[in-house]
Amino acid sequence: MYTDQDYMRRCLQLARNGLGYVRPNPMVGCVVVSDGEVVAEGFHRQHGGYHAERNAILDCRCPERIEGSTLYVNLEPCSHQGLTPPCADLIVERKVRRVVVCNDDPNPQVSGRGYEKLRSAGIEVVTHVLEQEGRFLNRRFFTFMEQRRPYIILKWAETADGLMDIDRGSDPQGSYWITNPLLKQLSHRWRTEEAAILVGSETYLNDRPQLTARLWHGNQPLRLVYDRRGRLGEVDGFTVLQQPTLSEAMEWLYQQKVQSLIVEGGRHLLDAFLAEGLWDEIRRLRGDQCFGKGMPAPSLTMTPDRTETFDNNQVECYYHVR
């Protein structure tokens, strides 16, 4: 016998399919159950498209079974007209009996109003099922809405001897890849999942990075350079940020609706984010080669929350708020 938690886990699994495509909206999945049987599933596929509830209900092969069913969704159904019609109205119209939700929507246009509309129609509403799992899945969305800045991921690669760059004194324009091809492809996949990618002016001048996702299919991130000292001027294909502080730069990105940011900068930029506590996630990639001398990687005293191995290379993930 499946429980509310089981069906909600399926919602979260479906929701993940929207990663990189629905921003700045949250990732949402939906499951409709009638007489103990799943009769419809759906998820939010792309920004501006139908939400998960509408996709599930409209794609149901036995629409008559929606009436009297239980609908599971990992975010409070919307109650306002945005780019698509309100999901709460459709749920009421199709006479769903019970709605089970993972997370409340922090958007002031929605918060509590979706529940109110459902309950006013006599629909039973159960909330906060697997709430922490749902917040983690949509950590980009919740950070953006609640902290008024992008979700910030610091990412770097370091050698087995703890270096992240070669000795620029001996080879000022050199470029050396630290990790293996599997992690290079993974790094490109990560770029498709985030709204923007940032390096500092020093990294740009040394490496002239493309910062594109060439090894993975998906949306390309907005490419940014932080140039507080005004060294670059205009850079073709990049947006140059020249705000005096990182906090001001993050505020500007918030105003531009940039929901998440992956920072692939050098040591000085990474240290600046770390010093301000301005990060949500760290992804440290560890290769198996040594440079002998060069730029040391940032030092971490924390224990990683998750470690994965890819053909003798490791990815360590750290989360600021678990």
Side-chain angles (χ1 to χ4, degrees):
M1 185 71 178
Y2 292 115
T3 66
D4 286 347
Q5 287 78 12
D6 294 324
Y7 291 121
M8 190 59 69
R9 287 191 183 93
R10 176 57 178 163
C11 284
L12 297 174
Q13 184 182 50
L14 289 166
R16 287 187 187 94
N17 291 317
L19 179 60
Y21 296 98
V22 301
R23 59 178 181 250
N25 284 357
M27 294 174 279
V28 183
C30 178
V31 175
V32 183
V33 177
S34 177
D35 297 324
E37 180 183 359
V38 174
V39 296
E41 292 186 336
F43 64 94
H44 186 31
R45 296 176 177 273
Q46 61 182 14
H47 180 249
Y50 283 160
H51 291 180
E53 303 96 313
R54 190 168 293 270
N55 279 331
I57 290 172
L58 296 185
D59 288 347
C60 182
R61 294 185 178 181
C62 302
E64 68 278 1
R65 298 191 67 181
I66 299 295
E67 183 174 345
S69 66
T70 296
L71 182 145
Y72 296 85
V73 64
N74 61 290
L75 196 75
E76 177 182 352
C78 64
S79 57
H80 70 290
Q81 176 71 48
L83 294 176
T84 59
C87 294
D89 288 357
L90 181 63
I91 294 170
V92 170
E93 176 188 324
R94 294 302 181 92
K95 299 181 180 179
V96 171
R97 180 183 64 83
R98 182 170 177 261
V99 173
V100 180
V101 184
C102 178
N103 296 117
D104 303 341
D105 194 329
N107 186 337
Q109 291 183 299
V110 179
S111 186
R113 297 179 184 178
Y115 297 147
E116 182 181 353
K117 184 171 285 191
L118 297 176
R119 287 176 173 135
S120 295
I123 296 173
E124 178 188 354
V125 178
V126 178
T127 61
H128 305 154
V129 175
L130 300 186
E131 182 176 15
Q132 291 306 310
E133 289 91 333
R135 282 190 65 89
F136 183 77
L137 173 68
N138 275 311
R139 55 196 183 275
R140 298 164 180 84
F141 173 73
F142 285 109
T143 297
F144 183 79
M145 295 296 296
E146 296 170 356
Q147 300 190 37
R148 297 177 63 84
R149 64 164 175 79
Y151 182 87
I152 300 169
I153 300 168
L154 307 183
K155 176 255 178 183
W156 69 85
E158 63 182 72
T159 61
D161 53 351
L163 303 178
M164 66 180 301
D165 198 5
I166 57 173
D167 179 6
R168 292 289 172 180
S170 59
D171 190 0
Q173 298 299 323
S175 179
Y176 297 85
W177 198 263
I178 292 174
T179 52
N180 62 32
L182 284 174
L183 289 192
K184 185 173 184 178
Q185 187 176 40
L186 178 61
S187 294
H188 283 225
R189 191 192 85 183
W190 287 343
R191 291 175 178 179
T192 69
E193 296 172 352
E194 311 309 331
I197 184 168
L198 174 72
V199 295
S201 58
E202 191 73 19
T203 295
Y204 181 82
L205 290 169
N206 284 336
D207 299 337
R208 304 288 177 172
Q210 297 181 58
L211 302 186
T212 56
R214 302 178 298 283
L215 302 178
W216 197 267
H217 175 74
N219 291 328
Q220 297 291 338
L222 174 68
R223 295 180 293 167
L224 307 168
V225 182
Y226 188 52
D227 182 31
R228 183 172 49 189
R229 290 175 284 176
R231 307 167 74 192
L232 301 179
E234 292 188 8
V235 180
D236 187 40
F238 285 74
T239 298
V240 179
L241 306 181
Q242 294 186 313
Q243 289 80 6
T245 67
L246 289 176
S247 294
E248 289 173 288
M250 296 305 102
E251 170 63 22
W252 185 84
L253 291 177
Y254 172 79
Q255 296 299 333
Q256 304 305 308
K257 294 183 169 53
V258 175
Q259 189 189 72
S260 62
L261 174 70
I262 187 164
V263 181
E264 291 196 9
R267 174 67 187 267
H268 297 303
L269 184 61
L270 291 166
D271 277 350
F273 276 95
L274 288 166
E276 292 193 29
L278 199 56
W279 63 275
D280 300 289
E281 186 173 337
I282 293 172
R283 298 174 185 174
R284 177 161 68 171
L285 284 60
R286 292 190 153 182
D288 54 2
Q289 61 173 310
C290 297
F291 285 170
K293 62 178 181 177
M295 175 65 74
S299 177
L300 298 177
T301 59
M302 303 169 286
T303 301
D305 294 287
R306 182 167 57 88
T307 301
E308 294 183 86
T309 300
F310 298 83
D311 195 15
N312 295 323
N313 286 193
Q314 285 80 41
V315 176
E316 296 176 350
C317 293
Y318 304 77
Y319 301 103
H320 205 172
V321 178
R322 295 168 181 80

